[in-house]
Amino acid sequence: MKTHAALPLTSEAFAPFGDVLEIAGDPDKIINQGLCGRYHNRATLDFGPDGRAGISLFNADPRALPYRLDMVERHPDGSQAFVPMHENPWLVIVAETGTQGPGEVHAFRAAPGQSVNFHRGTWHGVLTPLHAPGLFAVIDRIGSTPNLEEHWLEEPLLITA
């Protein structure tokens, strides 16, 4: 089985797949009588012409490294954001778009305080917390049409630390 090392999650490395949501640098605005920094408009949310934004709560079982990746998915009609409701590192897996499905896989270790927004149509792994609780807010498309494609890998990939 091929192995792939997870790299630290950075905005630059993740840019082809979506947005990294984190507090970095000075806030865009100071609000609430000077007691709150607002880091404004950090993700490109896309819910398609017939969708609307929805917020769901997910509680995923933690996984361990090395992690066996055998399936990726994508949402062709809208973006999807994973916002941890905990202060633990977690795993983010994405894949480039290939000619017949997903291409090269990339794995990232999200640090506490980091969230991601997958652009519409981005192949990605399932929600993968590395510690309990695996509680996340997920912002994605709510609509009447299916918005999920799964692709099972011919050969699983082992994601390492």
Side-chain angles (χ1 to χ4, degrees):
M1 182 181 315
K2 291 183 182 178
T3 62
H4 191 83
L7 302 174
L9 180 64
T10 65
S11 294
E12 298 77 23
F14 195 72
F17 312 105
D19 312 297
V20 174
L21 312 175
E22 63 185 335
I23 292 179
D26 294 329
D28 299 305
K29 288 177 156 183
I30 301 295
I31 60 172
N32 297 342
Q33 294 95 19
L35 299 174
C36 181
R38 178 175 174 150
Y39 294 78
H40 186 70
N41 197 26
R42 297 296 168 134
T44 303
L45 302 177
D46 177 359
F47 305 112
D50 298 320
R52 64 177 175 79
I55 300 175
S56 303
L57 300 180
F58 288 23
N59 193 10
D61 290 338
R63 314 296 174 90
L65 292 173
Y67 172 71
R68 185 177 188 264
L69 176 70
D70 53 12
M71 189 270 291
V72 293
E73 62 183 36
R74 70 176 175 178
H75 308 283
D77 292 335
S79 58
Q80 186 178 51
F82 290 167
V83 181
M85 297 174 69
H86 56 74
E87 287 290 326
N88 297 309
W90 55 290
L91 191 60
V92 178
I93 301 168
V94 290
E96 297 175 13
T97 300
T99 55
Q100 300 281 325
E104 183 179 352
V105 170
H106 301 266
F108 300 97
R109 290 183 318 273
Q114 288 185 310
S115 303
V116 298
N117 177 57
F118 299 112
H119 288 163
R120 179 200 289 215
T122 297
W123 290 106
H124 64 87
V126 299
L127 187 58
T128 314
L130 297 173
H131 304 277
L135 188 59
F136 287 76
V138 176
I139 299 98
D140 61 0
R141 180 184 183 277
I142 305 297
S144 60
T145 58
N147 188 31
L148 173 66
E149 294 177 16
E150 293 180 341
H151 180 89
W152 293 86
L153 304 177
E154 288 183 23
E155 180 182 341
L157 183 64
L158 196 63
I159 307 295
T160 62

